Amino acid sequence: MAKPDNRADNVEHLQKNINHTIENIEETEAYLDEHAEEISPEEQQQIESKNDRRRESLAAFRSEIKDEANEQNEE
């Protein structure tokens, strides 16, 4: 049997995802700053591309939070 759709804590979960993603971005940037000379240009580009995708995810998470807030205001 499927679980009922309980969205009461969606904003909390989204905020945790945002915080975790920001931490990952910051850790990766620190790693690049510290080890840039030891990393191949290709690997550095891959790491930077991953952070770009993380930033896109942040925008999506924030949009979802706004959607959740709007839905809660409509109830």
Side-chain angles (χ1 to χ4, degrees):
M1 183 174 208
K3 287 184 177 180
D5 187 19
N6 182 1
R7 305 181 79 178
D9 59 354
N10 275 5
V11 172
E12 182 180 329
H13 287 293
L14 290 167
Q15 189 60 52
K16 285 181 183 179
N17 288 339
I18 287 172
N19 294 342
H20 184 71
T21 302
I22 290 170
E23 287 174 16
N24 284 339
I25 290 170
E26 291 172 350
E27 288 174 10
T28 303
E29 288 174 347
Y31 177 83
L32 283 174
D33 288 344
E34 219 173 290
H35 301 284
E37 297 169 359
E38 305 163 16
I39 301 173
S40 71
E42 294 82 17
E43 186 178 359
Q44 189 169 358
Q45 180 58 44
Q46 288 174 348
I47 292 169
E48 289 172 354
S49 293
K50 189 166 189 173
N51 264 1
D52 289 342
R53 291 189 299 275
R54 287 176 173 145
R55 287 184 183 92
E56 291 172 6
S57 293
L58 285 175
F61 288 142
R62 289 178 175 134
S63 177
E64 283 187 61
I65 286 177
K66 287 179 186 176
D67 290 345
E68 287 292 325
N70 288 337
E71 285 181 22
Q72 289 175 1
N73 288 336
E74 291 174 2
E75 292 177 357

